Amino acid sequence: MTVPIQAILIINALFFVFYGVQSMISQMMIEEFKRFGLTDSQRTQTGILQITGSIGLLAGFIYPLIGLLSAAGFTTMMLVAFVIRIKIKDSVTQALPSILFMLINAWLTFEFYSLYL
């Protein structure tokens, strides 16, 4: 894995740690999850998955299979986030981060898959 890809992976992991923590403690995120039609339990589970997935991405430097599974999980999570945004009729601008993170994590999934082979 090249240095630019490693940097993107680390930044991606940091974003998900940040959003994971925010989804568990931020009043704004609590309101957003309500707007999405999701329960407090789903919000907490999402935060935990984001934090553990970030750890998995970083563990991928040593164990590519764990990185592969984490990146694939984030790709799926962001696809679901995009579908929810469409379902509640958010604008393209509001849905854009989910699309961007879905594409980044799909690319990281491919990169980890290449290492795993």
Side-chain angles (χ1 to χ4, degrees), residues 12-86:
N12 184 55
L14 290 173
F15 270 108
F16 277 104
V17 166
F18 174 77
Y19 283 113
V21 170
Q22 290 300 306
S23 71
M24 291 190 286
I25 65 170
S26 165
Q27 190 60 42
M28 185 187 82
M29 291 300 284
I30 291 169
E31 296 303 319
E32 276 293 282
F33 273 78
K34 286 179 185 173
R35 192 172 72 83
F36 299 154
L38 299 173
T39 66
D40 282 339
S41 174
Q42 289 169 314
R43 177 181 50 78
T44 301
Q45 290 171 359
T46 299
I48 291 167
L49 285 171
Q50 289 176 329
I51 293 166
T52 57
S54 295
I55 294 166
L57 284 177
L58 297 174
F61 285 124
I62 300 167
Y63 304 104
L65 178 59
I66 295 173
L68 169 68
L69 295 172
S70 295
F74 279 140
T75 302
T76 305
M77 181 185 284
M78 291 297 96
L79 175 60
V80 170
F82 176 71
V83 169
I84 289 172
R85 293 280 190 172
I86 297 303

